[in-house]
């Protein structure tokens, strides 16, 4: 029997690894996706959308590995309506304990006419066929009418009813282009509940994009209207302006439960770790004033606010930093800390490394401790991120020496290992970073353009590690690389190589057309 409480539980469907990963510069490799999936599972995400298996072999492999690894969350894979897409998704998902096929087709007049070049009747028939076909393979099928918020109401109701009859258990209404406003979006969901006769046989979900900055507001409005699944991403990453940010939805429901009446199963104390992990993998840092996970989200600058918080934190804090897993930046370790303390500190930060990984990370920690007097949590997070990514890279840094200062020319002597073969060269440039990037070009010629080069200090002090982000673009494909080191030039070199390695993975990924064949 469903209790009132069950009826108000909102399913969290995380699409960081699919819609999030589709956003420019956010591509991740297999190992990175697995790490994110494990963190999502630990935080209690109900459904992890692991990728779009037909999009590339890399996507397929990632969905297959995640499906095999994840035990408690459901694992979903996206497919267009063609049987080839659905078969590929199922092939990747079938090893999962709880698989879900998510199939979609556009239903708005504009998308049907311009993108699909299909009549509504044909779209309806194709959709019914695809849901039925998917349902024969997998018990749990979700269907989405892409551009749902701009779909004509009669047609939307007819499609939703037919999709449920064909076996879809979840109907997801996307605001694909982030066009809806909250009241209107809530009315759309109410309209479906009022007009679709078999609506009680499915969970109604929403998937909101953030083009007008309304993705979270629209998702919450839809929950108020009866939606019981929301699709969202960590840090709100996603196509264009992104998707609804999971941490904002979850914390709004938790903090204002008396008003919103619904709740999720997310362990909110894991939010900060998930946000930081994603930033370190993608190189997409979070804006300082971003709700919940921004660096200033719990900082109080003005004297009046500080005074209030010291007297009683609830004067200016509507939720505690601890509730989102934020602990004050603490001095953690020094050069005399041992392996055991290192392992246990990493565990507190949410990282459990295998013996080999731990050994290498510990070695790097000792090197860092030699260079830097005080090591903070942030340093360790940066160090572990660095370690796990280096393991899969085709192009690796062997050594770098630079000559810089007022007496030019600035020169870089660089040795790389490319697919196991060592190569060395020398190059000059306008400054040591430019010379280093020129040397990389000489050893690994490529046409990618440098679109962003950014340096941030990981902690305070002149011995702080330099966190460097490099963005490269090649033929419309964008990738971000990140690295951190107390030496800014070494960090820059590693960040560039990280981006280049990602580009090699991304080169094989082609953008899927509107319809699969
Ligand atoms: O934004 C969108 O419409 C999507 C669908 C595939 C659900 O991402
Ligand atoms: Zn989307």
């Amino acid at each position: 029997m469903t209790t009132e409480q069950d009826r108000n539980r909102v399913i969290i469907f995380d699409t960081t690894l699919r819609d999030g990963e589709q956003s420019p510069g956010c591509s991740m490799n297999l190992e990175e996706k697995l790490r994110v999936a494990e963190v999502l599972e630990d935080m209690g995400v109900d459904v992890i959308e692991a990728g779009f298996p037909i999009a590339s072999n890399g996507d397929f492999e990632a969905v297959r590995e995640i499906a095999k690894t994840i035990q408690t969350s459901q694992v979903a894979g996206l497919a267009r309506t063609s049987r080839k897409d659905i078969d590929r998704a199922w092939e990747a998902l079938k090893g999962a304990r709880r698989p879900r096929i998510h199939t979609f087709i556009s239903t708005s007049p504009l998308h049907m006419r311009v993108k699909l070049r299909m009549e509504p009747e044909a779209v309806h028939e194709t959709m019914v066929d695809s849901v039925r076909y998917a349902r024969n393979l997998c018990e749990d099928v979700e269907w989405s009418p892409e551009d749902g918020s701009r779909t004509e109401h009669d047609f939307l109701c007819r499609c939703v009813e037919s999709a449920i009859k064909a076996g879809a258990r979840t109907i997801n209404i996307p605001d694909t282009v982030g066009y809806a406003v909250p009241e209107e979006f809530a009315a759309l969901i109410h309209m479906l509940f009022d007009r679709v006769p078999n609506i009680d046989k499915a969970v109604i979900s929403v998937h909101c994009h953030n083009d007008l900055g309304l993705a979270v507001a629209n998702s919450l409005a839809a929950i108020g209207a009866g939606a019981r699944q929301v699709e969202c991403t960590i840090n709100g990453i996603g196509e264009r302006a992104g998707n609804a940010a999971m941490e904002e939805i979850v914390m709004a429901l938790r903090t204002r439960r008396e008003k919103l009446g619904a709740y999720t199963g997310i362990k909110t104390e894991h939010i900060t770790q998930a946000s930081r992990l994603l930033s370190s993998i993608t190189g997409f840092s979070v804006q300082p004033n971003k709700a919940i996970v921004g660096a200033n989200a719990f900082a109080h600058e003005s004297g009046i606010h500080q005074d209030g918080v010291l007297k009683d934190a609830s004067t200016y804090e509507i939720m505690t930093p601890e509730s989102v897993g934020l602990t004050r930046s603490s001095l953690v370790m020094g050069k005399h800390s041992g392996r055991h303390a290192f392992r246990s500190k990493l565990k507190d930060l949410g990282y459990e490394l295998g013996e080999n990984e731990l050994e290498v990370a510990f070695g790097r920690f000792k090197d860092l401790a030699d260079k830097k007097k005080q090591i903070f949590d942030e340093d360790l997070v940066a160090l572990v991120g660095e370690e796990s990514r280096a393991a899969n890279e085709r192009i690796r840094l062997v050594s770098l020496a630079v000559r810089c200062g007022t007496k030019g020319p600035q020169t870089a002597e660089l040795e790389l290992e490319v697919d196991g073969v060592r190569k060395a060269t020398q190059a000059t440039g306008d400054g040591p970073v430019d010379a280093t990037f020129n040397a990389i070009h000489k050893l690994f010629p490529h046409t990618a353009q440098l679109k962003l080069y950014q340096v941030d200090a990981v902690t305070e002090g002149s011995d702080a590690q330099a966190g460097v982000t490099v963005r490269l673009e090649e033929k419309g494909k964008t990738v971000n690389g990140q690295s951190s080191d107390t030496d800014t030039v070494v960090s820059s070199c590693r960040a560039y190589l990280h981006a280049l390695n990602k580009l090699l993975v991304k080169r094989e990924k082609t953008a899927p057309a509107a319809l699969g064949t």
Side-chain angles (χ1 to χ4, degrees):
M1 205 182 75
T2 12
T3 62
E4 186 59 32
Q5 165 138 357
D6 294 336
R7 277 196 286 279
N8 290 332
R9 188 180 187 286
V10 174
I11 296 166
I12 294 293
F13 177 113
D14 180 279
T15 184
T16 303
L17 296 173
R18 199 277 298 169
D19 219 341
E21 210 246 356
Q22 266 168 237
S23 63
C26 276
S27 58
M28 298 173 230
N29 64 30
L30 173 65
E31 202 272 333
E32 291 166 341
K33 286 186 184 178
L34 262 172
R35 279 175 58 215
V36 172
E38 282 169 352
V39 167
L40 294 175
E41 178 174 48
D42 284 350
M43 77 192 288
V45 164
D46 300 287
V47 189
I48 298 172
E49 188 164 50
F52 191 1
I54 196 91
S56 71
N57 290 338
D59 263 53
F60 176 84
E61 285 305 330
V63 177
R64 193 166 61 168
E65 282 310 304
I66 291 169
K68 279 197 278 181
T69 310
I70 295 302
Q71 294 299 309
T72 51
S73 310
Q74 283 191 261
V75 180
L78 187 67
R80 292 164 297 186
T81 45
S82 78
R83 292 185 174 204
K84 202 169 144 196
D85 264 51
I86 295 171
D87 285 339
R88 191 81 175 139
W90 180 239
E91 193 54 36
L93 288 166
K94 66 184 185 197
R97 268 191 75 198
R98 301 170 64 212
R100 174 183 291 190
I101 296 178
H102 177 194
T103 175
F104 73 100
I105 188 166
S106 290
T107 50
S108 68
L110 180 67
H111 277 218
M112 289 191 289
R113 180 166 46 81
V114 177
K115 198 178 97 166
L116 301 178
R117 300 203 175 132
M118 285 169 79
E119 291 299 322
E121 219 34 59
V123 168
H124 178 265
E125 197 183 314
T126 307
M127 176 278 288
V128 170
D129 182 66
S130 70
V131 173
R132 232 180 243 142
Y133 186 73
R135 190 52 212 272
N136 278 333
L137 299 170
C138 181
E139 270 196 14
D140 193 339
V141 173
E142 169 172 334
W143 176 67
S144 295
E146 192 187 356
D147 208 14
S149 58
R150 294 194 296 173
T151 295
E152 195 265 314
H153 286 191
D154 288 349
F155 187 57
L156 186 63
C157 288
R158 182 172 165 227
C159 286
V160 169
E161 183 179 351
S162 302
I164 297 172
K165 267 196 201 137
R169 284 190 181 170
T170 303
I171 299 292
N172 175 47
I173 307 298
D175 181 27
T176 302
V177 290
Y179 182 71
V181 294
E183 204 184 324
E184 167 191 44
F185 199 55
L188 180 71
I189 303 301
H190 275 303
M191 188 277 298
L192 290 172
F193 276 107
D194 288 345
R195 289 186 51 191
V196 176
N198 55 358
I199 195 110
D200 58 320
K201 306 274 182 305
V203 171
I204 298 305
S205 167
V206 290
H207 174 114
C208 298
H209 279 269
N210 205 30
D211 299 66
L212 293 173
L214 293 172
V216 170
N218 284 336
S219 304
L220 293 175
I223 290 171
R228 284 297 174 262
Q229 175 177 288
V230 281
E231 302 200 350
C232 46
T233 59
I234 299 290
N235 295 344
I237 66 167
E239 289 273 14
R240 305 181 310 279
N243 289 62
M246 188 226 277
E247 62 279 4
E248 295 179 23
I249 294 177
V250 166
M251 287 313 288
L253 291 176
R254 178 176 161 162
T255 309
R256 300 303 312 278
R257 183 156 176 192
E258 86 299 343
K259 174 78 186 155
L260 300 171
Y263 70 101
T264 74
I266 296 295
K267 295 172 200 140
T268 59
E269 296 75 16
H270 293 231
I271 284 176
T272 300
Q273 185 210 346
S275 164
R276 287 182 181 168
L277 173 70
L278 190 70
S279 291
S280 82
I281 286 177
T282 59
F284 262 45
S285 37
V286 166
Q287 80 202 50
N289 60 327
K290 158 96 175 58
I292 318 295
V293 290
N296 293 349
F298 293 91
H300 304 280
E301 186 72 23
S302 97
I304 296 174
H305 288 206
Q306 282 175 352
D307 181 51
V309 169
L310 286 173
K311 287 178 176 141
D312 179 345
S314 66
T315 51
Y316 287 99
E317 281 182 2
I318 57 167
M319 53 203 150
T320 63
E322 291 75 22
S323 66
V324 300
L326 186 70
T327 46
R328 299 284 161 220
S329 171
S330 56
L331 171 61
V332 288
M333 312 188 81
K335 65 194 286 182
H336 301 296
S337 307
R339 217 177 247 88
H340 183 71
F342 180 69
R343 185 203 294 267
S344 111
K345 183 68 207 177
L346 287 185
K347 197 158 179 238
D348 288 350
L349 291 170
Y351 296 96
E352 288 204 54
L353 305 187
E355 278 313 315
N356 290 346
E357 274 180 310
L358 185 80
E359 210 42 47
V360 185
F362 186 65
R364 289 206 57 202
F365 159 69
K366 285 287 178 186
D367 290 346
L368 185 61
D370 275 340
K371 295 187 217 159
K372 197 170 182 290
K373 285 191 279 311
Q374 300 178 315
I375 298 191
F376 295 87
D377 288 357
E378 290 85 342
D379 288 313
L380 290 188
V381 170
L383 185 144
V384 174
E386 189 78 21
E387 210 41 70
S388 54
R389 109 179 134 230
N392 297 303
E393 295 189 337
R394 278 180 57 194
I395 314 170
R396 292 157 184 257
L397 173 64
V398 178
S399 67
L400 172 68
V402 291
R403 191 186 126 99
C404 60
T406 49
K407 290 188 190 141
Q410 285 82 20
T411 316
E413 275 174 38
L414 179 69
E415 186 174 357
L416 296 181
E417 189 179 292
V418 181
D419 292 327
V421 179
R422 288 198 176 195
K423 303 171 171 193
T425 195
Q426 232 192 37
T428 55
D430 287 333
V433 173
D434 191 44
T436 304
F437 290 179
N438 288 341
I440 295 175
H441 263 280
K442 277 172 89 176
L443 293 179
F444 192 86
H446 55 279
T447 54
Q449 304 267 315
L450 180 67
K451 291 289 175 192
L452 173 87
Y453 170 67
Q454 183 179 306
V455 185
D456 298 300
V458 172
T459 56
E460 288 166 11
S462 59
D463 65 350
Q465 294 196 79
V468 177
T469 305
V470 163
R471 183 173 304 155
L472 298 178
E473 192 186 292
E474 184 189 69
K475 295 187 187 134
K477 293 185 168 154
T478 313
V479 284
N480 277 324
Q482 253 215 342
S483 186
S484 46
D485 196 283
T486 48
D487 185 317
T488 310
V489 188
V490 170
S491 187
S492 305
C493 179
R494 286 219 176 94
Y496 196 105
L497 295 179
H498 183 216
L500 211 47
N501 277 299
K502 282 186 152 183
L503 195 62
L504 300 184
V505 175
K506 206 162 183 185
R507 270 181 189 165
E508 60 153 306
K509 196 161 168 164
T510 47
L515 273 174
T517 47

